[in-house]
Amino acid sequence: MMTFLTNLPIKREEEIAELAEFIAEEYGAAGRVDPLSIAKRKKISFSFGHYEEAFDGMLECENKSFHIYCNIDRVGEYYEPRAKFTIAHELGHYFIDEHRNALLSNFASPHPSICEHESEMPIEREADCFASYLLMPRPYFKSKAHALPIGMKGILALKWYFNTSITSTALRYVGLNIRPFLFLLWRKNQIIRAHSSCPEIMDLFGDLIVQRKILPSSSATIQALSGARAREDKFFESEISADHWFESPKEHTLVDVLLYEQSISLGKYGAITLLIPNEETVSHLNEKFILQGKAV
């Protein structure tokens, strides 16, 4: 799996996932969780204010009482998905023992958080991980995802069910390995995250070319990044030759393969792209793996 921002160690991610899902089961219903409700029940006060670009959220501890700040200028009102993720992120700082104890002991000062998988700081990555599993617990997320169309349509349906952001929903979707595809997260004109679903197959396409300027104007990604008007289901879709995105494929038959390219704008936060091989290509590569004793 390729990545531009580092991932948590697998063991640590599993620890945090189990903690978040335990809390989701206790406070949620049918996998849907209201983080503000959890804050109220834990007697954590909160406020929404205008702090320009200073932070998304912040957890403060004073006299052993906790308070969550949310920045309307970056995350929106309390009912919006990015705000919901931010509150869940700050709850991660509260429920993860090491984070909470550091604040209680004054070992750590309150720090401004940038959420939604943008920060490289380990403490922020852990809180993002907590938020993701709290808002989209695995048993419910998997069950819903397997019943939905592959790709962006399925991701958008999951986003609406869990009332989560498109970014956090898509990142969780990658890990299900329902179908081989490549997930790309853009910030402005730069890719900051790239993850393969079914990496054994996607890695055969070769090295990713990360320069936007070589993509044709018909590319779904170019349309999403340039502010073009999206179709009714809010994402762009096109077919594109693999050689626009990859170089030096490990499997020579992949040079001229057409990929489904789906992309959705994140406004000032960039865009998300999915690169999905067609059924014929997937079947061919699966057969190749089976013959090699590496069934995917």
Side-chain angles (χ1 to χ4, degrees), residues 83-137:
K84 185 178 179 184
F85 190 93
T86 298
I87 297 163
H89 173 106
E90 300 307 328
L91 287 176
H93 288 314
Y94 174 82
F95 280 106
I96 297 171
D97 289 341
E98 296 89 338
H99 298 202
R100 182 184 64 257
N101 290 337
L103 288 170
L104 281 168
S105 65
N106 293 319
F107 179 77
S109 302
H111 66 278
S113 294
I114 301 297
C115 308
E116 281 272 74
H117 313 282
E118 291 186 46
S119 175
E120 188 64 78
M121 294 175 58
I123 191 172
E124 297 297 273
R125 303 301 298 237
E126 291 186 357
D128 274 347
C129 176
F130 178 93
S132 179
Y133 286 99
L134 178 74
L135 299 175
M136 296 171 283

Side-chain angles (χ1 to χ4, degrees), residues 151-166:
M152 201 65 80
K153 282 188 178 179
I155 290 171
L156 287 172
L158 290 164
K159 163 190 161 50
W160 288 116
Y161 180 83
F162 291 100
N163 189 26
T164 44
S165 72
I166 185 68

Side-chain angles (χ1 to χ4, degrees), residues 132-146:
S132 179
Y133 286 99
L134 178 74
L135 299 175
M136 296 171 283
R138 282 172 291 190
Y140 300 98
F141 192 83
K142 287 181 180 179
S143 175
K144 290 286 180 185
H146 282 283

